[in-house]
């Protein structure tokens, strides 16, 4: 099963330690929210990320799975590969 590219918007600023175990994800801060984006290998990994965000008390505003044609080129490059 191939990984899918996700964009997850959360309220406020995300603490850096919230993404420690998710090395393929990056985060960018916008005025009132943080956007986390990157490839997530499967539904179990997505559930793990959501559980981590919940443990930090982070309010998830939106989760979008993007199709290959919708992924911006600069964001579509995975880190560490």
């Amino acid at each position: 099963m191939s990984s899918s590219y996700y964009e997850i918007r959360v309220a406020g600023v995300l603490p850096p330690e919230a993404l420690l175990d998710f090395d393929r994800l990056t985060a960018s801060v916008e005025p009132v929210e943080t956007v986390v984006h990157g490839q997530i290998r499967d539904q179990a990994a997505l559930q793990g990320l959501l559980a981590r965000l919940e443990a930090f008390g982070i309010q998830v505003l939106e989760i979008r799975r993007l199709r290959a044609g919708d992924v911006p080129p600069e964001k579509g490059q995975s880190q560490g590969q």
Side-chain angles (χ1 to χ4, degrees), residues 9-14 27-35 61:
R9 293 182 182 274
V10 300
V13 177
L14 191 65
S28 59
V29 178
E30 296 186 2
V32 295
E33 60 191 26
T34 300
V35 180
L61 302 174

Side-chain angles (χ1 to χ4, degrees), residues 7 25 75 78:
E7 187 172 89
L25 300 178
K75 291 181 181 179
S78 59

Side-chain angles (χ1 to χ4, degrees), residues 29-60:
V29 178
E30 296 186 2
V32 295
E33 60 191 26
T34 300
V35 180
V36 177
H37 42 83
Q39 291 183 343
I40 299 177
R41 84 179 163 274
D42 56 22
Q43 290 294 312
L46 176 60
Q47 291 299 323
L49 173 59
L50 295 176
R52 169 69 64 90
L53 295 176
E54 182 179 15
F56 277 95
I58 303 297
Q59 178 187 7
V60 175

